[in-house]
Amino acid sequence: MKGVFVLAMLVLTALAPNLARADCYGSERYKTCTDHNGNSYTVQKYGNSTQVQGYNYETGNSWSQSTNRVGNSSYTTGYDAEGNSWSQNTRRIGNTTYQDGYDSDGNSYNGTIRNNGSSRTYQGTDSDGNYYHKTCTAYGCY
């Protein structure tokens, strides 16, 4: 189940980076952000690498992730709040983004996101082994 959550968060992050509001201070290369619940994270960028360290105020747990970009590919590894590692590889070729990786329980997942003009199609297999396929437009998803 954690894998489904990780994949959903990664997709939401890619689609709507401004859903969660946080006050950030610092520069484009190094900043610290805190949301209205007291959760915080720092972002450090250098070259093609980005490091993020986060802290959950309610649980006291920390998490982290590191992303390296090479051409049209991104390689991300991280640790969840319980210290379990996860990873994701993303490659963009034309109008299609390919993703694969392992969730924090060690289960693999893969999927594609294809932009088709005014619609976007998501399909793949989540880390619980469930196949998914959905197309979204400005009017909703089906």
Side-chain angles (χ1 to χ4, degrees):
M1 190 62 176
K2 284 185 193 176
V4 175
F5 176 75
V6 169
L7 182 58
M9 290 305 298
L10 292 170
V11 170
L12 283 174
T13 301
L15 297 177
N18 293 322
L19 282 179
R21 298 282 304 164
D23 294 320
C24 298
Y25 303 95
S27 68
E28 184 64 28
R29 292 187 168 276
Y30 186 85
K31 62 184 162 187
T32 299
C33 303
T34 304
D35 68 18
H36 69 280
N37 292 321
N39 302 310
S40 62
Y41 59 94
T42 59
V43 180
Q44 184 175 6
K45 296 180 182 181
Y46 47 96
N48 295 326
S49 298
T50 303
Q51 307 288 325
V52 182
Q53 304 285 328
Y55 173 76
N56 184 308
Y57 177 78
E58 186 175 316
T59 66
N61 292 330
S62 297
W63 54 270
S64 64
Q65 73 178 53
S66 173
T67 300
N68 294 304
R69 295 183 186 274
V70 179
N72 292 333
S73 298
S74 295
Y75 307 95
T76 303
T77 58
Y79 291 92
D80 69 12
E82 285 79 42
N84 302 307
S85 65
W86 57 270
S87 66
Q88 176 171 298
N89 300 316
T90 303
R91 294 164 306 288
R92 184 174 178 103
I93 301 173
N95 66 342
T96 305
T97 300
Y98 301 88
Q99 298 176 324
D100 63 77
Y102 291 90
D103 70 10
S104 58
D105 289 326
N107 301 312
S108 65
Y109 62 88
N110 64 72
T112 60
I113 303 169
R114 180 169 286 120
N115 294 311
N116 304 308
S118 62
S119 68
R120 185 175 281 172
T121 300
Y122 305 87
Q123 70 179 48
T125 305
D126 68 24
S127 61
D128 288 328
N130 301 308
Y131 176 77
Y132 61 91
H133 184 274
K134 175 172 64 173
T135 299
C136 298
T137 67
Y139 305 104
C141 298
Y142 56 91

